[in-house]
Amino acid sequence: MRYMVDSSASTQFHITGKGRNGRIGSIRLFQNGEVYAEAYFKFPDYETFFLSWEEHTEYELEAENLDISLAYRFRPESVLEQGVEFMEFGEDIRIIDQKHLEGDFCQQYRNRHHFSPFKGWMNDPNGLCWFNGYYHVFYQYNPNGQKWGNMHWGHAVSRDLLRWTHLPIAAYPQIELNGCDGWRGGAFSGSAVVHDGIMQLFYTRHFGKNDRSMQRQWQVTKKSRDGVCFTHEESCIWGTPEGVDWNFRDPKVTYIKDRWVMVVGGACHNRPSVFQYWSEDLKNWTYKGILYQETNPRYAIAECPDFFCLDGKYVLIAGYINSDAGNRERDTLYYIGSYEDGVFSIENQGLMDYGRDFYAPQTFSHEERRICFGWNCCRDGIHVEEEGGANGTLSLPRELSIKGGKLAGTVISEIRSLMCEAAEPGPFYLHLESETAEGMAELLLAEGPSASLCLRIEKGEVQLILKEKMGRKQDGEFACAFVADSPVKTVEAYVDCALVELYINAGAQVCTRRFYMDQAVLRPVLKNGNFQLIEYKGIRSIWEADREKEV
């Protein structure tokens, strides 16, 4: 099919696709009747081509026998401010710039005030940092479908940690594996540091068979001076410590006690472990042993570790794959203690989120705040695919602190810039306070024709209950429940189209849960109890066309 397209102010055109029905697909650009650029998609899997063209020039674009999963154009010199412009191929080419994303982020189950990619799948937040006037977030990304696989590094920037601008993909699966049936690669999770005016990424490169009979994971790094264009990646840790099979991933690098410390997750002698490496120059790394090894038999593998100093203590965070492979509700634990001469001595520990739809969190420090994002993960069989939709979001950014020897988190104060008067049902914020020493309440958060989402608090137990009568795996009563550490006196709820975040007692305990409710009406109704409504606000979409006015 042929299209006419104007390059506008862009100079780069990236397109991901694959040929149809086992045949080669192609993209060709014509200028004045002559072939200007061309690309041939020869493999059965998706691959990406990076084309250049002249700005403000009209081209004829021919797409033959090609399934396109993602296409965008941009100008490197201005992409941090303007973002990429997505290109949707139909009868015509539809251009979607960053100021007009709201219309494409309107699916029934697409969350409005939580970050998600343009379309596809996302999981772990990666590479969080502040660099050259922008907050950067990278994330595990599959642009080719709403399921895990084909791990790329998506990339976005923000001025306020809430409203995000999509940038070009920063890392890709190994192109060498295209056409190699039964094998897969990927750019797995990692982190970023900023040093001497350079952003440096660290992440895991994965290679192995689909049936996992042979796997290998190693750590790589690459750099950027502008936060957009990166050097070629180099291996920084190739081998594994003794006792490690192949689970060895997700490097997180932090400057601690006058040196760079990298923690890596995995398993050693079949016990979930967090390994530590030290470096003076971010180039040469020395293995310094196991920082922590979990003994709970429920857990098999440690993932996405983070290690940092907070309020005079040291904090380790790790997610865990369960020993029971059928149990997909993974815990994220925190450990608080002291750290001296490479030894981490634990004084306290706990669950980071009781809803368990919060996983692989990563933190970074900026302006004396420790900010954390997590992945709002998806339990198997729950996600509902929608045309043009996305599976997975980032949590709201939390500011972490240690209170009473435990890790606490509250949504950053900038969230108030999204709040408005709640005139109509829709995503909302709610603040309740108990009128007695022991709060009790039954609160309706959302309701549809065949389901309701309720919050119950009674005798110190907090329950988030989804009652659904028909048609889905959630049939019957689904509940997320935990016992509060202390009498429940305050509750803050952030309710989005398919996600709720609950903050109990000023973030002393947090519960995050995804839900899918057809034709949901998001509106709180306090049915009974002794809580008083302190505040009820609507929350606007982070993709609103006039969002710049609110920054």
Side-chain angles (χ1 to χ4, degrees):
M1 190 165 183
R2 292 204 171 196
Y3 306 89
M4 297 305 298
V5 58
D6 191 301
S7 62
S8 187
S10 68
T11 58
Q12 305 296 311
F13 168 42
H14 293 183
I15 182 167
T16 301
K18 66 177 180 178
R20 294 173 179 161
N21 303 318
R23 297 166 52 208
I24 293 174
S26 65
I27 281 283
R28 295 200 296 172
L29 291 173
F30 296 87
Q31 186 181 39
N32 300 323
E34 300 290 330
V35 174
Y36 180 84
E38 55 190 344
Y40 294 91
F41 298 76
K42 303 176 182 180
F43 301 105
D45 296 324
Y46 286 98
E47 56 183 319
T48 302
F49 282 91
F50 312 95
L51 305 178
S52 298
W53 56 19
E54 299 174 21
E55 62 182 323
H56 301 298
T57 302
E58 189 173 64
Y59 294 89
E60 188 175 11
L61 188 156
E62 178 189 77
E64 287 284 346
N65 191 50
L66 189 64
D67 286 330
I68 299 169
S69 65
L70 184 68
Y72 53 81
R73 67 187 190 186
F74 66 98
R75 184 183 184 89
E77 297 84 354
S78 59
V79 71
L80 285 168
E81 189 65 30
Q82 297 178 2
V84 301
E85 294 181 325
F86 295 104
M87 304 170 67
E88 290 283 274
F89 288 74
E91 292 298 317
D92 298 299
I93 296 178
R94 187 169 63 93
I95 305 297
I96 308 105
D97 64 24
Q98 301 291 318
K99 295 181 179 180
H100 298 90
L101 283 174
E102 189 175 15
D104 286 81
F105 281 57
C106 61
Q107 296 85 6
Q108 180 175 204
Y109 303 120
R110 168 88 75 157
N111 291 308
R112 302 295 194 265
H113 56 264
H114 290 79
F115 173 86
S116 59
F118 179 62
K119 59 182 178 180
W121 160 283
M122 74 165 292
N123 51 288
D124 313 350
N126 298 153
L128 300 176
C129 65
W130 169 264
F131 182 63
N132 289 350
Y134 293 89
Y135 294 104
H136 287 253
V137 62
F138 302 84
Y139 54 94
Q140 294 287 277
Y141 181 40
N142 178 14
N144 307 325
Q146 295 180 35
K147 296 180 179 180
W148 184 91
N150 309 297
M151 284 294 96
H152 301 59
W153 268 41
H155 188 193
V157 293
S158 174
R159 299 279 195 181
D160 65 354
L161 292 167
L162 296 170
R163 303 164 178 87
W164 295 92
T165 298
H166 294 282
L167 297 189
I169 291 171
Y172 289 80
Q174 297 94 307
I175 192 172
E176 299 89 342
L177 294 179
N178 276 350
C180 297
D181 188 39
W183 295 83
R184 68 183 179 193
F188 280 17
S189 286
S191 57
V193 299
V194 175
H195 182 60
D196 290 340
I198 295 175
M199 175 196 291
Q200 186 166 354
L201 305 184
F202 295 86
Y203 55 99
T204 297
R205 182 58 71 179
H206 175 90
F207 166 76
K209 290 186 175 181
N210 288 336
D211 63 7
R212 302 192 178 186
S213 60
M214 197 291 286
Q215 308 282 329
R216 185 170 182 86
Q217 295 179 341
W218 65 100
Q219 318 314 317
V220 299
T221 184
K222 61 183 180 181
K223 301 177 182 180
S224 176
R225 292 187 177 275
D226 62 3
V228 176
C229 301
F230 292 88
T231 60
H232 291 294
E233 69 182 36
E234 300 176 357
S235 174
C236 62
I237 298 179
W238 173 251
T240 67
E242 188 275 332
V244 176
D245 50 12
W246 63 271
N247 290 295
F248 182 64
R249 56 183 175 268
D250 312 332
K252 178 61 162 60
V253 179
T254 310
Y255 196 70
I256 296 175
K257 292 184 179 288
D258 300 322
R259 65 175 61 90
W260 296 102
V261 177
M262 176 193 292
V263 290
V264 182
C268 187
H269 296 298
N270 298 314
R271 290 174 60 184
S273 304
V274 176
F275 311 95
Q276 64 171 325
Y277 290 78
W278 291 0
S279 175
E280 301 296 330
D281 58 7
L282 291 171
K283 183 177 181 180
N284 300 289
W285 293 91
T286 302
Y287 179 54
K288 305 301 286 189
I290 293 176
L291 180 71
Y292 178 72
Q293 192 165 57
E294 179 58 61
T295 59
N296 189 332
R298 173 177 177 173
Y299 306 130
I301 302 166
E303 294 189 299
C304 302
D306 199 346
F307 188 54
F308 52 89
C309 184
L310 178 65
D311 297 338
K313 295 290 184 179
Y314 284 86
V315 179
L316 171 67
I317 297 172
Y320 290 100
I321 293 178
N322 294 309
S323 300
D324 176 4
N327 184 357
R328 303 289 291 180
E329 292 196 350
R330 299 174 179 174
D331 290 340
T332 299
L333 301 185
Y334 70 83
Y335 308 87
I336 298 173
S338 60
Y339 180 66
E340 202 66 48
D341 298 325
V343 177
F344 180 48
S345 301
I346 296 173
E347 301 167 4
N348 202 0
Q349 69 182 74
L351 268 177
M352 197 163 181
D353 191 290
Y354 289 81
R356 293 183 172 85
D357 281 348
F358 176 92
Y359 191 68
Q362 187 172 110
T363 76
F364 74 107
S365 180
H366 180 60
E367 294 183 341
E368 300 184 351
R369 293 193 300 178
R370 177 61 59 172
I371 304 298
C372 174
F373 282 94
W375 163 45
N376 300 133
C377 46
C378 182
R379 285 155 283 123
D380 288 348
I382 298 299
H383 176 67
V384 178
E385 289 201 14
E386 300 174 285
E387 182 72 24
N391 185 357
T393 62
L394 290 183
S395 70
L396 291 174
R398 302 178 186 178
E399 182 177 352
L400 302 183
S401 61
I402 296 177
K403 295 180 179 179
K406 298 179 180 181
L407 190 64
T410 56
V411 177
I412 60 171
S413 59
E414 290 91 329
I415 189 66
R416 302 203 70 84
S417 69
L418 291 177
M419 293 183 183
C420 59
E421 295 303 318
E424 300 292 338
F428 65 85
Y429 163 76
L430 188 72
H431 180 190
L432 301 174
E433 290 188 3
S434 174
E435 299 173 336
T436 66
E438 181 66 63
M440 186 272 289
E442 182 172 354
L443 174 68
L444 178 68
L445 298 173
E447 189 171 24
S450 60
S452 63
L453 180 67
C454 294
L455 171 65
R456 289 180 185 169
I457 302 172
E458 188 173 11
K459 295 180 180 179
E461 184 176 39
V462 179
Q463 292 184 323
L464 190 63
I465 301 169
L466 177 63
K467 291 183 177 179
E468 192 163 2
K469 298 179 181 178
M470 56 187 294
R472 291 190 42 72
K473 192 174 180 179
Q474 294 169 320
D475 286 354
E477 187 172 283
F478 152 82
C480 169
F482 62 94
V483 176
D485 291 337
S486 60
V488 179
K489 295 185 177 180
T490 67
V491 177
E492 291 179 279
Y494 298 84
V495 180
D496 212 331
C497 294
L499 178 71
V500 56
E501 296 190 36
L502 297 175
Y503 293 78
I504 306 298
N505 290 336
Q509 291 172 280
V510 185
C511 174
T512 304
R513 202 70 168 182
R514 291 178 71 168
F515 65 92
Y516 289 86
M517 187 185 302
D518 187 37
Q519 302 178 55
V521 176
L522 307 178
R523 181 171 50 200
V525 178
L526 188 59
K527 292 188 171 182
N528 57 61
N530 53 23
F531 276 86
Q532 180 180 358
L533 177 61
I534 302 300
E535 190 173 19
Y536 167 44
K537 294 284 188 180
I539 304 181
R540 292 191 297 272
S541 169
I542 60 175
W543 309 110
E544 281 187 355
D546 62 346
R547 57 194 180 132
E548 291 85 356
K549 298 178 182 179
E550 306 298 332
V551 178

